[in-house]
Amino acid sequence: MRDPVRADALHIAGLTRLSSCDWPGKLVATVFLQGCPLACGYCHNPSLLDPRTAGVIQWEVVRELLARRRGMLDGVVFSGGEPTRQAGLAAAMREVRDLGFQVGLHTAGTYPHRFAEALPFCDWVGLDIKAPQRLYGAITGVQSSASTAAACLRLALDSKVELQVRTTVDPTVLTPGDVAELTAWLLAEGVHEHMLQEVRAEGTRPEYVERLMALAEHPLP
Ligand code: SF4
């Protein structure tokens, strides 16, 4: 059997030392992991997508931060990019738990096996479900992301972890009818907390900003 990948192997693209908005109701540090296999038009952090880009922060820096912030932070949120892309995620979560902090995870549900490894260490998950299944590819550029996200949703629901499902409503793809269809499907699956978010143009690629501007003139039917 191979040794589990250690937290020190993580490629960390950024660290927010104090956040009150990454996990509702909690004060957290947020660790941004490099790399994502999707290509959502509205991604406002495209520099985090390339998995070949090296990290800029060592895990040791996070360790030291937590040692200094005992009693001041509720927990750590792992975000990205797509944090489940990295094999060291579960080891990092275990360390955070062992240090006495809670663990939150932001994920688009792209790697069900890694998500399953991470779930036992998660206190809260913010899971992106981006569209009804048939429209996934139009948003993420990867049609198979529909089935992996659905698999992760099932894993999360079966695990009983505290779960918030989030949908950034991409107006270049989704009509109000599509959003209603998604909400009905999530409800039928057993989702109790579904948050809709508006797209923000800032930080997105110029071609997406152009599509948003064109949409203002010619809305979807
Ligand atoms: S899943 Fe998130 S990080 Fe990945 S491309 Fe989409 S918006 Fe960007």
Side-chain angles (χ1 to χ4, degrees):
M1 206 168 102
R2 280 186 300 171
D3 288 339
V5 177
R6 291 165 50 87
D8 297 281
L10 289 177
H11 291 211
I12 301 174
L15 172 65
T16 298
R17 287 169 167 75
L18 182 64
S19 167
S20 59
C21 59
D22 287 330
W23 180 347
K26 305 278 184 192
L27 277 181
V28 298
T30 304
V31 179
F32 296 90
L33 299 189
Q34 183 69 36
C36 177
L38 305 185
C40 307
Y42 56 67
C43 187
H44 56 88
N45 237 337
S47 64
L48 291 191
L49 302 189
D50 190 339
R52 296 163 300 185
T53 302
V56 296
I57 291 173
Q58 301 295 315
W59 176 249
E60 185 59 28
V61 173
V62 181
R63 258 191 213 119
E64 287 168 6
L65 175 75
L66 295 181
R68 290 196 307 273
R69 294 282 165 89
R70 262 183 232 275
M72 289 182 268
L73 287 175
D74 296 311
V76 173
V77 169
F78 292 86
S79 187
E82 173 48 57
T84 61
R85 196 193 66 79
Q86 297 201 35
L89 177 66
M93 288 177 158
R94 183 195 291 269
E95 270 197 45
V96 170
R97 277 272 187 90
D98 289 349
L99 287 166
F101 295 89
Q102 297 177 71
V103 173
L105 173 67
H106 294 172
T107 178
T110 45
Y111 297 99
H113 68 290
R114 289 264 169 72
F115 185 58
E117 280 171 17
L119 265 174
F121 305 109
C122 289
D123 298 286
W124 174 83
V125 173
L127 173 63
D128 287 357
I129 298 290
K130 294 172 181 289
Q133 299 269 297
R134 66 193 159 77
L135 294 172
Y136 241 83
I139 289 185
T140 66
V142 181
Q143 185 52 39
S144 62
S145 58
S147 56
T148 59
C152 288
L153 175 63
R154 183 42 49 205
L155 285 166
L157 288 167
D158 290 348
S159 77
K160 310 290 184 224
V161 72
E162 190 183 343
L163 175 67
Q164 181 186 64
V165 173
R166 298 104 63 86
T167 303
T168 300
V169 179
D170 185 343
T172 68
V173 177
L174 299 178
T175 65
D178 298 326
V179 176
E181 176 189 334
L182 177 62
T183 302
W185 178 71
L186 289 170
L187 199 59
E189 290 294 307
V191 171
H192 300 298
E193 191 181 352
H194 181 209
M195 191 177 77
L196 299 178
Q197 304 177 133
E198 277 185 30
V199 153
R200 284 182 290 138
E202 69 196 30
T204 61
R205 293 190 176 93
E207 51 275 24
Y208 187 73
V209 176
E210 276 175 28
R211 283 166 63 195
L212 285 177
M213 286 165 61
L215 191 68
E217 290 174 23
H218 304 288
L220 293 182

